[in-house]
Amino acid sequence: GNDKKALLWDTRTAQIIYTFEHKSRVEVVALEKSGKFAFTADVLTSHNIWDLKSGKLFQPLNYIERFHWFSSATFSADGKWLLTGSPNKKVKLWNVSTGDEVNKWEVMATGMGASIYAVGFDNHGNVLSENSSGIGEKFRRIDLVR
């Protein structure tokens, strides 16, 4: 939210389980399917994978750029990979255990650029994206066993 916090709620009790603090407005949140991890990202420099058993920071994403802004994110079905989309036409694959970028793609777009509205994986490990130019793309199959 705009209050620089991401909140994890218990939907049965309507109570907050964890509060994840950031330095600026929280822009993207993703939950891993089995409930082991959450990803939260603010609009400046805080992009973290959280351990949902303890509520503690598991791994920040490692990147070189001064600011890295995300517009979408999702975990792979096995929880080993995080896929992110950005407003700069970039889709990136991250290793959850290390926080390292392991692959990236640039989407087609009309005009100056495109924000990535959605990212995902198909059943064969291919990377999928949808961008603000109205273009959906599938990128080459990736090896998720690395």
mmCIF file of all heavy atoms in Angstrom, residues 71-72 83-93 103-120 127-140:
data_model
loop_
_atom_site.group_PDB
_atom_site.id
_atom_site.type_symbol
_atom_site.label_atom_id
_atom_site.label_comp_id
_atom_site.label_asym_id
_atom_site.label_seq_id
_atom_site.Cartn_x
_atom_site.Cartn_y
_atom_site.Cartn_z
ATOM 1 N N SER A 71 5.980 -4.468 -12.174
ATOM 2 C CA SER A 71 4.556 -4.284 -12.407
ATOM 3 C C SER A 71 3.777 -5.585 -12.271
ATOM 4 O O SER A 71 2.547 -5.570 -12.223
ATOM 5 C CB SER A 71 4.321 -3.674 -13.791
ATOM 6 O OG SER A 71 4.994 -4.425 -14.788
ATOM 7 N N SER A 72 4.468 -6.728 -12.201
ATOM 8 C CA SER A 72 3.812 -8.027 -12.010
ATOM 9 C C SER A 72 4.829 -9.043 -11.506
ATOM 10 O O SER A 72 6.031 -8.868 -11.691
ATOM 11 C CB SER A 72 3.183 -8.514 -13.322
ATOM 12 O OG SER A 72 4.164 -8.618 -14.327
ATOM 13 N N LEU A 83 9.099 -15.084 -11.319
ATOM 14 C CA LEU A 83 9.045 -14.409 -12.604
ATOM 15 C C LEU A 83 8.478 -13.016 -12.371
ATOM 16 O O LEU A 83 7.467 -12.859 -11.685
ATOM 17 C CB LEU A 83 8.141 -15.203 -13.552
ATOM 18 C CG LEU A 83 8.168 -14.869 -15.025
ATOM 19 C CD1 LEU A 83 9.554 -15.077 -15.626
ATOM 20 C CD2 LEU A 83 7.143 -15.728 -15.760
ATOM 21 N N THR A 84 9.149 -11.990 -12.915
ATOM 22 C CA THR A 84 8.682 -10.611 -12.732
ATOM 23 C C THR A 84 8.553 -9.911 -14.077
ATOM 24 O O THR A 84 9.261 -10.232 -15.032
ATOM 25 C CB THR A 84 9.647 -9.787 -11.855
ATOM 26 O OG1 THR A 84 10.938 -9.739 -12.471
ATOM 27 C CG2 THR A 84 9.744 -10.367 -10.454
ATOM 28 N N GLY A 85 7.648 -8.960 -14.118
ATOM 29 C CA GLY A 85 7.496 -8.075 -15.266
ATOM 30 C C GLY A 85 7.701 -6.650 -14.796
ATOM 31 O O GLY A 85 7.433 -6.327 -13.635
ATOM 32 N N SER A 86 8.182 -5.788 -15.691
ATOM 33 C CA SER A 86 8.482 -4.391 -15.353
ATOM 34 C C SER A 86 7.856 -3.448 -16.365
ATOM 35 O O SER A 86 7.526 -3.852 -17.474
ATOM 36 C CB SER A 86 9.994 -4.172 -15.334
ATOM 37 O OG SER A 86 10.596 -4.956 -14.351
ATOM 38 N N PRO A 87 7.751 -2.170 -16.010
ATOM 39 C CA PRO A 87 7.238 -1.187 -16.957
ATOM 40 C C PRO A 87 8.185 -0.893 -18.119
ATOM 41 O O PRO A 87 7.818 -0.185 -19.031
ATOM 42 C CB PRO A 87 7.057 0.077 -16.101
ATOM 43 C CG PRO A 87 7.055 -0.375 -14.711
ATOM 44 C CD PRO A 87 7.889 -1.611 -14.672
ATOM 45 N N ASN A 88 9.386 -1.451 -18.100
ATOM 46 C CA ASN A 88 10.375 -1.188 -19.153
ATOM 47 C C ASN A 88 10.476 -2.315 -20.183
ATOM 48 O O ASN A 88 11.521 -2.513 -20.788
ATOM 49 C CB ASN A 88 11.746 -0.940 -18.532
ATOM 50 C CG ASN A 88 12.283 -2.148 -17.792
ATOM 51 O OD1 ASN A 88 11.599 -3.169 -17.676
ATOM 52 N ND2 ASN A 88 13.498 -2.051 -17.291
ATOM 53 N N LYS A 89 9.401 -3.070 -20.368
ATOM 54 C CA LYS A 89 9.321 -4.158 -21.360
ATOM 55 C C LYS A 89 10.145 -5.387 -20.990
ATOM 56 O O LYS A 89 10.382 -6.243 -21.821
ATOM 57 C CB LYS A 89 9.747 -3.684 -22.760
ATOM 58 C CG LYS A 89 8.969 -2.520 -23.292
ATOM 59 C CD LYS A 89 9.196 -2.256 -24.770
ATOM 60 C CE LYS A 89 10.611 -2.111 -25.187
ATOM 61 N NZ LYS A 89 10.774 -1.762 -26.603
ATOM 62 N N LYS A 90 10.576 -5.509 -19.749
ATOM 63 C CA LYS A 90 11.437 -6.619 -19.348
ATOM 64 C C LYS A 90 10.674 -7.648 -18.517
ATOM 65 O O LYS A 90 9.920 -7.307 -17.605
ATOM 66 C CB LYS A 90 12.619 -6.121 -18.520
ATOM 67 C CG LYS A 90 13.524 -5.145 -19.237
ATOM 68 C CD LYS A 90 14.514 -5.855 -20.115
ATOM 69 C CE LYS A 90 15.621 -4.973 -20.628
ATOM 70 N NZ LYS A 90 15.281 -3.886 -21.469
ATOM 71 N N VAL A 91 10.915 -8.911 -18.832
ATOM 72 C CA VAL A 91 10.459 -10.050 -18.032
ATOM 73 C C VAL A 91 11.717 -10.725 -17.525
ATOM 74 O O VAL A 91 12.643 -10.986 -18.304
ATOM 75 C CB VAL A 91 9.619 -11.033 -18.880
ATOM 76 C CG1 VAL A 91 9.263 -12.271 -18.090
ATOM 77 C CG2 VAL A 91 8.364 -10.350 -19.411
ATOM 78 N N LYS A 92 11.766 -10.983 -16.203
ATOM 79 C CA LYS A 92 12.973 -11.590 -15.636
ATOM 80 C C LYS A 92 12.621 -12.800 -14.789
ATOM 81 O O LYS A 92 11.592 -12.839 -14.118
ATOM 82 C CB LYS A 92 13.734 -10.568 -14.781
ATOM 83 C CG LYS A 92 14.314 -9.432 -15.603
ATOM 84 C CD LYS A 92 15.176 -8.512 -14.780
ATOM 85 C CE LYS A 92 15.798 -7.450 -15.665
ATOM 86 N NZ LYS A 92 16.756 -6.613 -14.942
ATOM 87 N N LEU A 93 13.530 -13.766 -14.820
ATOM 88 C CA LEU A 93 13.409 -14.980 -14.022
ATOM 89 C C LEU A 93 14.472 -14.944 -12.932
ATOM 90 O O LEU A 93 15.649 -14.681 -13.209
ATOM 91 C CB LEU A 93 13.631 -16.215 -14.905
ATOM 92 C CG LEU A 93 13.506 -17.567 -14.212
ATOM 93 C CD1 LEU A 93 12.059 -17.819 -13.803
ATOM 94 C CD2 LEU A 93 13.996 -18.683 -15.131
ATOM 95 N N ASN A 103 17.585 -15.339 -16.021
ATOM 96 C CA ASN A 103 17.233 -15.167 -17.429
ATOM 97 C C ASN A 103 16.382 -13.913 -17.567
ATOM 98 O O ASN A 103 15.787 -13.461 -16.586
ATOM 99 C CB ASN A 103 16.477 -16.385 -17.954
ATOM 100 C CG ASN A 103 16.713 -16.619 -19.429
ATOM 101 O OD1 ASN A 103 17.144 -15.725 -20.146
ATOM 102 N ND2 ASN A 103 16.423 -17.824 -19.889
ATOM 103 N N LYS A 104 16.348 -13.348 -18.784
ATOM 104 C CA LYS A 104 15.491 -12.190 -19.025
ATOM 105 C C LYS A 104 15.093 -12.142 -20.490
ATOM 106 O O LYS A 104 15.780 -12.684 -21.355
ATOM 107 C CB LYS A 104 16.176 -10.899 -18.606
ATOM 108 C CG LYS A 104 17.396 -10.538 -19.405
ATOM 109 C CD LYS A 104 18.019 -9.267 -18.869
ATOM 110 C CE LYS A 104 19.360 -9.034 -19.542
ATOM 111 N NZ LYS A 104 20.053 -7.892 -18.988
ATOM 112 N N TRP A 105 13.964 -11.486 -20.737
ATOM 113 C CA TRP A 105 13.423 -11.330 -22.070
ATOM 114 C C TRP A 105 12.895 -9.910 -22.222
ATOM 115 O O TRP A 105 12.456 -9.303 -21.248
ATOM 116 C CB TRP A 105 12.270 -12.307 -22.315
ATOM 117 C CG TRP A 105 12.661 -13.730 -22.135
ATOM 118 C CD1 TRP A 105 13.082 -14.595 -23.106
ATOM 119 C CD2 TRP A 105 12.651 -14.487 -20.914
ATOM 120 N NE1 TRP A 105 13.341 -15.836 -22.562
ATOM 121 C CE2 TRP A 105 13.088 -15.793 -21.207
ATOM 122 C CE3 TRP A 105 12.326 -14.190 -19.594
ATOM 123 C CZ2 TRP A 105 13.191 -16.790 -20.248
ATOM 124 C CZ3 TRP A 105 12.437 -15.179 -18.632
ATOM 125 C CH2 TRP A 105 12.861 -16.463 -18.972
ATOM 126 N N GLU A 106 12.911 -9.396 -23.432
ATOM 127 C CA GLU A 106 12.286 -8.111 -23.715
ATOM 128 C C GLU A 106 11.080 -8.374 -24.608
ATOM 129 O O GLU A 106 11.188 -9.062 -25.629
ATOM 130 C CB GLU A 106 13.255 -7.154 -24.400
ATOM 131 C CG GLU A 106 12.661 -5.773 -24.558
ATOM 132 C CD GLU A 106 13.685 -4.715 -24.928
ATOM 133 O OE1 GLU A 106 14.803 -4.759 -24.383
ATOM 134 O OE2 GLU A 106 13.354 -3.867 -25.758
ATOM 135 N N VAL A 107 9.937 -7.823 -24.231
ATOM 136 C CA VAL A 107 8.700 -8.078 -24.954
ATOM 137 C C VAL A 107 8.576 -7.156 -26.159
ATOM 138 O O VAL A 107 9.173 -6.087 -26.207
ATOM 139 C CB VAL A 107 7.466 -7.927 -24.041
ATOM 140 C CG1 VAL A 107 7.562 -8.864 -22.855
ATOM 141 C CG2 VAL A 107 7.279 -6.490 -23.581
ATOM 142 N N MET A 108 7.784 -7.592 -27.126
ATOM 143 C CA MET A 108 7.446 -6.732 -28.259
ATOM 144 C C MET A 108 6.462 -5.690 -27.756
ATOM 145 O O MET A 108 5.667 -5.955 -26.866
ATOM 146 C CB MET A 108 6.783 -7.548 -29.369
ATOM 147 C CG MET A 108 7.689 -8.529 -30.043
ATOM 148 S SD MET A 108 6.933 -9.285 -31.501
ATOM 149 C CE MET A 108 5.352 -9.814 -30.925
ATOM 150 N N ALA A 109 6.524 -4.509 -28.347
ATOM 151 C CA ALA A 109 5.581 -3.465 -27.947
ATOM 152 C C ALA A 109 5.455 -2.463 -29.069
ATOM 153 O O ALA A 109 6.378 -2.279 -29.860
ATOM 154 C CB ALA A 109 6.064 -2.770 -26.679
ATOM 155 N N THR A 110 4.315 -1.817 -29.124
ATOM 156 C CA THR A 110 4.134 -0.736 -30.069
ATOM 157 C C THR A 110 4.465 0.568 -29.365
ATOM 158 O O THR A 110 4.255 0.703 -28.171
ATOM 159 C CB THR A 110 2.687 -0.710 -30.592
ATOM 160 O OG1 THR A 110 1.807 -0.595 -29.474
ATOM 161 C CG2 THR A 110 2.370 -1.974 -31.356
ATOM 162 N N GLY A 111 5.027 1.493 -30.070
ATOM 163 C CA GLY A 111 5.369 2.777 -29.464
ATOM 164 C C GLY A 111 6.643 2.688 -28.649
ATOM 165 O O GLY A 111 7.506 1.844 -28.866
ATOM 166 N N MET A 112 6.754 3.558 -27.663
ATOM 167 C CA MET A 112 7.974 3.697 -26.876
ATOM 168 C C MET A 112 8.231 2.544 -25.896
ATOM 169 O O MET A 112 9.351 2.214 -25.603
ATOM 170 C CB MET A 112 7.943 5.005 -26.087
ATOM 171 C CG MET A 112 8.024 6.233 -26.966
ATOM 172 S SD MET A 112 9.572 6.338 -27.856
ATOM 173 C CE MET A 112 10.694 6.625 -26.519
ATOM 174 N N GLY A 113 7.203 1.969 -25.346
ATOM 175 C CA GLY A 113 7.440 0.938 -24.353
ATOM 176 C C GLY A 113 6.175 0.213 -23.977
ATOM 177 O O GLY A 113 5.127 0.433 -24.571
ATOM 178 N N ALA A 114 6.301 -0.633 -23.001
ATOM 179 C CA ALA A 114 5.152 -1.397 -22.544
ATOM 180 C C ALA A 114 5.379 -1.844 -21.115
ATOM 181 O O ALA A 114 6.470 -2.263 -20.748
ATOM 182 C CB ALA A 114 4.929 -2.615 -23.432
ATOM 183 N N SER A 115 4.347 -1.751 -20.342
ATOM 184 C CA SER A 115 4.379 -2.279 -18.983
ATOM 185 C C SER A 115 3.885 -3.717 -19.035
ATOM 186 O O SER A 115 2.917 -4.022 -19.742
ATOM 187 C CB SER A 115 3.472 -1.440 -18.079
ATOM 188 O OG SER A 115 3.584 -1.865 -16.746
ATOM 189 N N ILE A 116 4.535 -4.587 -18.294
ATOM 190 C CA ILE A 116 4.133 -5.989 -18.260
ATOM 191 C C ILE A 116 3.023 -6.136 -17.213
ATOM 192 O O ILE A 116 3.272 -6.001 -16.024
ATOM 193 C CB ILE A 116 5.323 -6.909 -17.914
ATOM 194 C CG1 ILE A 116 6.541 -6.600 -18.790
ATOM 195 C CG2 ILE A 116 4.901 -8.368 -18.012
ATOM 196 C CD1 ILE A 116 6.321 -6.742 -20.260
ATOM 197 N N TYR A 117 1.798 -6.398 -17.669
ATOM 198 C CA TYR A 117 0.654 -6.516 -16.765
ATOM 199 C C TYR A 117 0.579 -7.874 -16.077
ATOM 200 O O TYR A 117 0.087 -7.973 -14.962
ATOM 201 C CB TYR A 117 -0.647 -6.284 -17.519
ATOM 202 C CG TYR A 117 -0.929 -4.845 -17.862
ATOM 203 C CD1 TYR A 117 -1.732 -4.532 -18.940
ATOM 204 C CD2 TYR A 117 -0.412 -3.787 -17.119
ATOM 205 C CE1 TYR A 117 -2.018 -3.220 -19.267
ATOM 206 C CE2 TYR A 117 -0.680 -2.477 -17.437
ATOM 207 C CZ TYR A 117 -1.488 -2.195 -18.508
ATOM 208 O OH TYR A 117 -1.772 -0.899 -18.820
ATOM 209 N N ALA A 118 1.031 -8.931 -16.766
ATOM 210 C CA ALA A 118 0.925 -10.278 -16.189
ATOM 211 C C ALA A 118 2.058 -11.148 -16.705
ATOM 212 O O ALA A 118 2.485 -11.018 -17.855
ATOM 213 C CB ALA A 118 -0.417 -10.901 -16.548
ATOM 214 N N VAL A 119 2.547 -12.033 -15.828
ATOM 215 C CA VAL A 119 3.560 -13.016 -16.190
ATOM 216 C C VAL A 119 3.126 -14.368 -15.647
ATOM 217 O O VAL A 119 2.354 -14.450 -14.693
ATOM 218 C CB VAL A 119 4.963 -12.655 -15.635
ATOM 219 C CG1 VAL A 119 5.534 -11.450 -16.354
ATOM 220 C CG2 VAL A 119 4.920 -12.419 -14.135
ATOM 221 N N GLY A 120 3.622 -15.442 -16.278
ATOM 222 C CA GLY A 120 3.277 -16.772 -15.808
ATOM 223 C C GLY A 120 4.087 -17.833 -16.517
ATOM 224 O O GLY A 120 4.906 -17.545 -17.395
ATOM 225 N N VAL A 127 7.682 -19.339 -20.588
ATOM 226 C CA VAL A 127 7.348 -18.095 -19.907
ATOM 227 C C VAL A 127 6.298 -17.356 -20.724
ATOM 228 O O VAL A 127 6.423 -17.220 -21.941
ATOM 229 C CB VAL A 127 8.617 -17.227 -19.738
ATOM 230 C CG1 VAL A 127 8.269 -15.834 -19.266
ATOM 231 C CG2 VAL A 127 9.580 -17.905 -18.771
ATOM 232 N N LEU A 128 5.268 -16.862 -20.045
ATOM 233 C CA LEU A 128 4.180 -16.142 -20.689
ATOM 234 C C LEU A 128 4.131 -14.721 -20.161
ATOM 235 O O LEU A 128 4.413 -14.478 -18.984
ATOM 236 C CB LEU A 128 2.850 -16.836 -20.399
ATOM 237 C CG LEU A 128 2.778 -18.331 -20.704
ATOM 238 C CD1 LEU A 128 1.481 -18.914 -20.178
ATOM 239 C CD2 LEU A 128 2.930 -18.577 -22.191
ATOM 240 N N SER A 129 3.753 -13.782 -21.029
ATOM 241 C CA SER A 129 3.591 -12.395 -20.580
ATOM 242 C C SER A 129 2.459 -11.736 -21.346
ATOM 243 O O SER A 129 2.120 -12.136 -22.471
ATOM 244 C CB SER A 129 4.883 -11.589 -20.782
ATOM 245 O OG SER A 129 5.086 -11.317 -22.147
ATOM 246 N N GLU A 130 1.878 -10.722 -20.716
ATOM 247 C CA GLU A 130 0.891 -9.869 -21.372
ATOM 248 C C GLU A 130 1.280 -8.436 -21.054
ATOM 249 O O GLU A 130 1.570 -8.106 -19.898
ATOM 250 C CB GLU A 130 -0.514 -10.154 -20.855
ATOM 251 C CG GLU A 130 -1.563 -9.295 -21.509
ATOM 252 C CD GLU A 130 -2.952 -9.557 -20.974
ATOM 253 O OE1 GLU A 130 -3.115 -10.406 -20.086
ATOM 254 O OE2 GLU A 130 -3.872 -8.878 -21.445
ATOM 255 N N ASN A 131 1.301 -7.579 -22.096
ATOM 256 C CA ASN A 131 1.762 -6.210 -21.854
ATOM 257 C C ASN A 131 0.717 -5.168 -22.217
ATOM 258 O O ASN A 131 -0.334 -5.487 -22.781
ATOM 259 C CB ASN A 131 3.107 -5.954 -22.544
ATOM 260 C CG ASN A 131 3.009 -5.923 -24.046
ATOM 261 O OD1 ASN A 131 2.199 -5.206 -24.622
ATOM 262 N ND2 ASN A 131 3.865 -6.696 -24.708
ATOM 263 N N SER A 132 1.027 -3.927 -21.884
ATOM 264 C CA SER A 132 0.075 -2.832 -22.061
ATOM 265 C C SER A 132 -0.176 -2.479 -23.521
ATOM 266 O O SER A 132 -1.099 -1.726 -23.820
ATOM 267 C CB SER A 132 0.557 -1.592 -21.301
ATOM 268 O OG SER A 132 1.830 -1.196 -21.760
ATOM 269 N N SER A 133 0.595 -3.035 -24.439
ATOM 270 C CA SER A 133 0.324 -2.856 -25.865
ATOM 271 C C SER A 133 -0.703 -3.865 -26.356
ATOM 272 O O SER A 133 -1.013 -3.915 -27.544
ATOM 273 C CB SER A 133 1.614 -3.007 -26.677
ATOM 274 O OG SER A 133 2.476 -1.925 -26.440
ATOM 275 N N GLY A 134 -1.197 -4.706 -25.449
ATOM 276 C CA GLY A 134 -2.192 -5.710 -25.809
ATOM 277 C C GLY A 134 -1.591 -6.949 -26.431
ATOM 278 O O GLY A 134 -2.288 -7.735 -27.078
ATOM 279 N N ILE A 135 -0.306 -7.150 -26.219
ATOM 280 C CA ILE A 135 0.390 -8.291 -26.819
ATOM 281 C C ILE A 135 0.678 -9.342 -25.765
ATOM 282 O O ILE A 135 1.247 -9.053 -24.715
ATOM 283 C CB ILE A 135 1.712 -7.840 -27.484
ATOM 284 C CG1 ILE A 135 1.419 -6.832 -28.592
ATOM 285 C CG2 ILE A 135 2.489 -9.040 -28.027
ATOM 286 C CD1 ILE A 135 2.654 -6.179 -29.182
ATOM 287 N N GLY A 136 0.278 -10.576 -26.038
ATOM 288 C CA GLY A 136 0.637 -11.716 -25.206
ATOM 289 C C GLY A 136 1.760 -12.473 -25.894
ATOM 290 O O GLY A 136 1.721 -12.649 -27.116
ATOM 291 N N GLU A 137 2.744 -12.891 -25.130
ATOM 292 C CA GLU A 137 3.886 -13.585 -25.730
ATOM 293 C C GLU A 137 4.251 -14.829 -24.938
ATOM 294 O O GLU A 137 4.032 -14.903 -23.732
ATOM 295 C CB GLU A 137 5.111 -12.663 -25.785
ATOM 296 C CG GLU A 137 4.948 -11.505 -26.728
ATOM 297 C CD GLU A 137 6.181 -10.639 -26.783
ATOM 298 O OE1 GLU A 137 7.184 -11.063 -27.402
ATOM 299 O OE2 GLU A 137 6.132 -9.548 -26.194
ATOM 300 N N LYS A 138 4.826 -15.788 -25.660
ATOM 301 C CA LYS A 138 5.389 -16.978 -25.032
ATOM 302 C C LYS A 138 6.848 -17.031 -25.425
ATOM 303 O O LYS A 138 7.190 -16.948 -26.596
ATOM 304 C CB LYS A 138 4.658 -18.233 -25.491
ATOM 305 C CG LYS A 138 5.256 -19.501 -24.924
ATOM 306 C CD LYS A 138 4.409 -20.743 -25.103
ATOM 307 C CE LYS A 138 4.051 -21.072 -26.494
ATOM 308 N NZ LYS A 138 3.398 -22.389 -26.624
ATOM 309 N N PHE A 139 7.711 -17.151 -24.416
ATOM 310 C CA PHE A 139 9.147 -17.223 -24.651
ATOM 311 C C PHE A 139 9.610 -18.662 -24.554
ATOM 312 O O PHE A 139 8.944 -19.506 -23.951
ATOM 313 C CB PHE A 139 9.893 -16.333 -23.653
ATOM 314 C CG PHE A 139 9.496 -14.890 -23.758
ATOM 315 C CD1 PHE A 139 8.568 -14.354 -22.905
ATOM 316 C CD2 PHE A 139 10.028 -14.106 -24.769
ATOM 317 C CE1 PHE A 139 8.191 -13.026 -23.008
ATOM 318 C CE2 PHE A 139 9.652 -12.780 -24.897
ATOM 319 C CZ PHE A 139 8.735 -12.233 -24.009
ATOM 320 N N ARG A 140 10.783 -18.912 -25.121
ATOM 321 C CA ARG A 140 11.304 -20.274 -25.210
ATOM 322 C C ARG A 140 11.235 -21.036 -23.892
ATOM 323 O O ARG A 140 11.326 -20.455 -22.821
ATOM 324 C CB ARG A 140 12.719 -20.277 -25.743
ATOM 325 C CG ARG A 140 13.709 -19.557 -24.850
ATOM 326 C CD ARG A 140 15.078 -19.483 -25.508
ATOM 327 N NE ARG A 140 15.884 -18.479 -24.906
ATOM 328 C CZ ARG A 140 16.639 -18.678 -23.830
ATOM 329 N NH1 ARG A 140 16.673 -19.854 -23.266
ATOM 330 N NH2 ARG A 140 17.340 -17.694 -23.309
#
